[in-house]
Amino acid sequence: MVDIIGVLGSMFSLIIVTILGYIAAKADYITAEIRPKISNLIFNITLPCTILASVGEVDASTGADAIMWSLILGVAMFFVMLLGSVIAVAILRVPVNQRSLYLFQGILTNTGFIGFAVLESIFGGPSVFLGSIFIAFGNVFLYSIGIAILTSGGTGGKRKRTVGEALRDAFKNMLNVPLVVSLIAMVAFFANIPIPSPIMQAADMAGSITAPLAMMLVGLSIADANLREVLSEWRLWGFTAIRFLAVPLATYVLLAPVVPSELALGVFIVMLAMPTGSMAGPIAATYGQDGNLPARGTIVSTIASFAIVPVIMVAMTMF
């Protein structure tokens, strides 16, 4: 299933685009001030277009098995990420006041931005639709259980929310554009509802800029950071090695004999290996936590992902 040379070439292409983003940031073509607007553009417009366009690339006669297993694995993904994070925190003896932040880093991953870019470059268009299934389920757990885990580390001086406020905020966060488009795409696929060709072509055109924009934002994040300080945090590197490399590899070894759909399993493992999302820091700060630690974790795990993904792809061909 996996073309190693193709994987390495795809990852190298993503690295080049990331470097272009870094150069653009250093040249002041893109700045931290416009990053929220670009993130919103990706999340609310181009990423949904990518998801919608991917439906047309799934063969209904051969995709049913992959979709069924994607539904099963999609439910399991959040809990595998959480378990892997708990194991990493225990092994690394993370200080008590940082444990909730490390756990949050391990469950809020960049499946939407980098994840789709990597999936499309390795497995092709159909994998993007399958990836949207994982994200649809992941959002439900992330913005409910995930936020509860984050806030368990203390309120940082902010008032505690009532149960009603917490539930309202969780529901509001779950109801986002990519999730809605993912559900529409699944309904259209299962009900065999044809989507007009002009709409699909427009979605394909708009969605084609998702991957390069996302990788340029990664380059911007790296350009804005004090790399010497960030890269010297050994515990972040240890957490990255365990959560984003060892856990996906162990999961693949356990599931390969059980899951018959190679595509669904491949998407699942790639999604597990995706680095901490760029929104981890801002969300942590929103809930009164220290946003600097997850922000540094985003940079470390993102840099490491360019080596981790090819290693995982190579390992998958050996079992």
Side-chain angles (χ1 to χ4, degrees):
M1 178 184 69
V2 180
D3 176 9
I4 299 302
I5 301 300
V7 170
L8 294 176
S10 297
M11 292 302 297
F12 187 63
S13 297
L14 295 177
I15 292 174
I16 292 175
V17 177
T18 303
I19 293 173
L20 291 176
Y22 179 88
I23 294 173
K26 288 300 184 181
D28 219 25
Y29 295 151
I30 54 176
T31 63
E33 289 73 26
I34 67 172
R35 176 164 45 194
K37 293 185 180 296
I38 298 178
S39 295
N40 286 333
L41 173 67
I42 295 174
F43 192 75
N44 293 306
I45 296 180
T46 69
L47 178 56
C49 286
T50 301
I51 295 170
L52 184 61
S54 69
V55 178
E57 301 186 48
V58 180
D59 186 348
S61 63
T62 59
D65 188 52
I67 292 173
M68 182 193 72
W69 276 101
S70 293
L71 292 169
I72 296 172
L73 295 174
V75 174
M77 185 174 73
F78 175 86
F79 299 99
V80 174
M81 292 193 298
L82 178 58
L83 177 60
S85 301
V86 169
I87 293 172
V89 164
I91 292 175
L92 297 171
R93 299 181 181 274
V94 174
V96 174
N97 64 324
Q98 294 182 348
R99 287 176 186 172
S100 63
L101 291 168
Y102 269 89
L103 293 178
F104 195 61
Q105 289 180 65
I107 59 178
L108 196 161
T109 57
N110 211 331
T111 52
F113 288 176
I114 299 178
F116 280 155
V118 173
L119 287 178
E120 189 168 20
S121 66
I122 295 176
F123 300 116
S127 65
V128 175
F129 174 59
L130 298 183
S132 71
I133 296 176
F134 286 91
I135 291 180
F137 284 109
N139 279 347
V140 174
F141 295 118
L142 174 63
Y143 292 113
S144 52
I145 300 174
I147 295 299
I149 291 172
L150 174 65
T151 55
S152 68
T155 61
K158 293 189 176 183
R159 74 174 182 86
K160 293 184 178 181
R161 298 174 301 155
T162 65
V163 174
E165 288 175 331
L167 291 175
R168 185 185 66 244
D169 290 343
F171 181 76
K172 180 180 178 181
N173 286 327
M174 284 188 289
L175 214 57
N176 52 64
V177 178
L179 175 60
V180 172
V181 173
S182 299
L183 295 176
I184 292 173
M186 281 189 275
V187 170
F189 179 84
F190 285 115
N192 197 25
I193 300 173
I195 300 176
S197 179
I199 294 179
M200 293 298 286
Q201 290 177 2
D204 185 57
M205 290 175 61
S208 65
I209 69 172
T210 299
L213 276 181
M215 301 316 298
M216 282 191 173
L217 280 186
V218 173
L220 173 60
S221 297
I222 294 174
D224 284 344
N226 184 337
L227 283 182
R228 179 175 298 180
E229 179 182 333
V230 172
L231 299 181
S232 64
E233 296 195 36
W234 67 269
R235 191 172 272 119
L236 284 176
W237 285 104
F239 182 81
T240 296
I242 296 171
R243 164 61 188 84
F244 299 106
L245 177 60
V247 169
L249 286 176
T251 302
Y252 179 78
V253 172
L254 291 173
L255 294 183
V258 179
V259 180
S261 173
E262 292 185 344
L263 179 59
L265 181 58
V267 171
F268 179 47
I269 299 303
V270 168
M271 296 297 246
L272 282 180
M274 287 299 97
T276 299
S278 58
M279 291 302 296
I283 290 177
T286 298
Y287 286 93
Q289 308 301 311
D290 177 16
N292 290 324
L293 179 59
R296 295 195 296 271
T298 296
I299 295 171
V300 169
S301 59
T302 298
I303 293 174
S305 69
F306 290 113
I308 287 175
V309 172
V311 168
I312 289 176
M313 294 296 101
V314 171
M316 286 172 63
T317 65
M318 300 172 62
F319 294 98

